Amino acid sequence: VPIILTDSGEIRKLTPREVFNGQSYPKDFKFPDNISDSQLYKQAGNSVTVPVIQRIAENIIKAMNYNHN
């Protein structure tokens, strides 16, 4: 579980919502009711943000175009 140091000096866990928001999920993303927080943390940890995938895909396309010229 990710933890942070707050501006007031307290240490706290990030909520599953905060973790998914950090992964670029929309703020209105709905979590299933029957999944525990520990499972949500695991799912967030196993996901890859859309901007990262987009950048990888763009670079693959550039490499493919470069090799064809």
Side-chain angles (χ1 to χ4, degrees):
V1 176
I3 57 172
I4 60 167
L5 179 63
T6 65
D7 291 338
S8 63
E10 297 174 323
I11 295 173
R12 71 172 183 85
K13 292 190 250 184
L14 289 176
T15 65
R17 171 68 54 202
E18 291 170 323
V19 173
F20 276 91
N21 288 349
Q23 289 280 41
S24 299
Y25 281 72
K27 295 198 184 301
D28 61 351
F29 181 78
K30 303 229 187 275
F31 300 124
D33 293 331
N34 59 344
I35 295 182
S36 67
D37 282 356
S38 62
Q39 286 298 96
L40 289 172
Y41 287 121
K42 286 180 186 179
Q43 288 182 5
N46 288 331
S47 66
V48 180
T49 63
V50 171
V52 170
I53 296 299
Q54 182 175 357
R55 180 66 66 91
I56 290 169
E58 289 168 354
N59 283 295
I60 289 171
I61 291 168
K62 282 181 191 176
M64 291 172 63
N65 288 336
Y66 178 78
N67 289 330
H68 282 97
N69 293 329

